[in-house]
Amino acid sequence: MTGLLDAAPLAGLDLPCRSAINPDLWFAEAPADLERAKQLCGACPVRAECLAGAVARHEPWGVWGGEIFERGVVIARKRPRGRPRKDATIAASAQGAAA
C-alpha cells in the first residue's frame, strides 16, 4: 500500500490525502472534519486499495479509503465527544424502566 501511495504522484495521480492543505484532516477529532476527509476520498483513484489495506492492517483510527476507522473497525460516523454511546443510553433506559 505504501508503495502505491508513493508511486501515485509519479504516475500523475492526484491523491487528496497527499495533496491536501491539511493532511491531519484524515485523523481529526471533529466529526465535521472527518466527514470532509471522507468527501475528499470520494474521487481518489486508489480508494479501493486504500480501504482494503486499512482493513487488512486493522487501522486503529482515521479516514482510509473514504471510511472512518475507530478501534480497528469501520464506523458510519464519528459521534462528538461527551455524548453517551447510543447503546449505553438504551440499556440505562431499560434498567430504569425495569426498576
Side-chain angles (χ1 to χ4, degrees):
M1 178 64 196
T2 303
L4 179 62
L5 291 176
D6 291 337
L10 298 174
L13 299 175
D14 181 33
L15 305 182
C17 61
R18 295 292 175 107
S19 62
I21 296 169
N22 182 8
D24 293 333
L25 187 66
W26 278 260
F27 300 96
E29 285 290 326
D33 290 341
L34 294 174
E35 291 300 321
R36 176 70 180 134
K38 284 174 56 174
Q39 286 178 340
L40 291 171
C41 288
C44 182
V46 295
R47 181 178 178 195
E49 293 86 351
C50 180
L51 179 58
V55 168
R57 290 187 308 274
H58 303 290
E59 281 294 338
W61 64 291
V63 175
W64 296 90
E67 299 293 339
I68 300 173
F69 282 75
E70 187 173 294
R71 296 184 188 112
V73 268
V74 174
I75 60 172
R77 58 183 17 98
K78 174 123 174 139
R79 296 176 62 86
R81 291 181 137 207
R83 292 183 62 191
R85 293 186 60 85
K86 197 173 187 179
D87 55 346
T89 305
I90 294 169
S93 297
Q95 278 184 338

